[in-house]
Each structure stands twice: as C-alpha cells, then as structure tokens.
Amino acid sequence: MSNAKSGDTVKVHYTGKLKDGSIFDSSRDREPLEFKLGAGMMIPGFDKAVDGMKIGDSITTEISANDAYGEKSDEMVIDIPKDQLPEGINPEIGQQLTMQHPSGQSIPVVVTKVEEASIEIDANHPLAGKDLIFDIELVSIN
C-alpha cells in the first residue's frame, strides 16, 4: 500500500475543531474532501499532515495559525464611509458583506463597528489567528 505524496489526488474525511473543542467544519456528513496534495489547495498544515499517510490511516493533528490561515492582520481591518456603501445596506455589527477587490475577486468581510458616518470591516479570514485541530482519515489516493 502506498503513501500519499505531493502531486497525488487524495480524498479525506476530516473534522476541524478549535482548541475549546468546538467544531467549525466536518466532511463526515457529506462526500470526502478531494484535493491535490501539495498544490496549494489546502492550508499548509493540512497538506503536511496528509503527506505520508496510507489509505485507512487516521490522525489528529494540531495546526498552528501560521500553518493555517495566518495571524490576524490589522491592515485587514478598515473604516469605510457610509456614503460609499451600496444603496439599501443597513450595516449591523456581525453582519457579513462582500467587497469587490480591484482584481474582481469577491472578498467576504464582517462588520465590526458601526458609527454615525462610517463602518469598520474586518477582511481577515474568520479562523485567522487561531490554532486548529483536525481529525483526518485518508480515504483514497489517485
């Protein structure tokens, strides 16, 4: 039986948890996640964890924020004047919005502060700055 290596297309079942044990995502109630190992499709720590596994192997791995979604960046928290918001938007703290990057890419953001003339939004990934724990089971290697 061969080991998963960079360039292989693999399928895994996983459960992602925070240090407090709360689950933020799982493939257990759906199809396994398929990705090309080492192709940058996954966070670096996830790729590293799967590399070398055999079909049927299960592991639990802790991935530091640096090998996951990175640290929170203050540069990703910005103020926007309310008069620049699209018509009909009534921002509230915790509300999720989507911004257009100049490249055309959609960027999800969260409203973190609402003031009279402006709002503050956070474009950091929701899991930025967090160490993650994954239970991973390798289902197949192609």
Side-chain angles (χ1 to χ4, degrees):
M1 188 178 288
S2 64
N3 295 38
K5 63 189 175 316
S6 187
D8 288 342
T9 298
V10 297
K11 287 185 181 181
V12 299
H13 269 303
Y14 69 91
T15 299
K17 300 178 277 191
L18 300 176
K19 285 200 167 203
D20 67 5
S22 60
I23 295 172
F24 61 83
D25 194 16
S26 179
S27 69
R28 288 290 173 186
D29 53 358
R30 58 184 189 258
E31 289 295 310
L33 173 67
E34 182 175 6
F35 65 99
K36 188 171 186 176
L37 194 56
M41 299 169 75
M42 303 299 294
I43 58 174
F46 198 96
D47 261 353
K48 288 178 197 170
V50 174
D51 193 10
M53 290 179 72
K54 292 182 175 136
I55 294 172
D57 282 355
S58 292
I59 61 164
T60 297
T61 185
E62 186 169 326
I63 300 173
S64 71
N66 285 337
D67 274 342
Y69 295 96
E71 296 297 332
K72 275 193 166 261
S73 168
D74 291 339
E75 294 171 7
M76 300 290 282
V77 179
I78 56 175
D79 287 316
I80 296 182
K82 281 186 175 177
D83 62 10
Q84 290 185 12
L85 295 175
E87 189 97 14
I89 298 278
N90 188 16
E92 297 176 14
I93 292 175
Q95 182 179 18
Q96 293 189 348
L97 302 172
T98 303
M99 293 185 62
Q100 283 295 119
H101 187 272
S103 69
Q105 181 181 1
S106 293
I107 302 170
V109 299
V110 175
V111 177
T112 52
K113 190 188 306 180
V114 177
E115 297 183 342
E116 191 171 322
S118 66
I119 65 169
E120 179 183 83
I121 59 168
D122 185 348
N124 283 291
H125 188 283
L127 295 173
K130 297 183 189 305
D131 295 335
L132 308 177
I133 299 167
F134 281 95
D135 298 324
I136 303 170
E137 176 191 359
L138 183 60
V139 176
S140 71
I141 303 172
N142 290 322

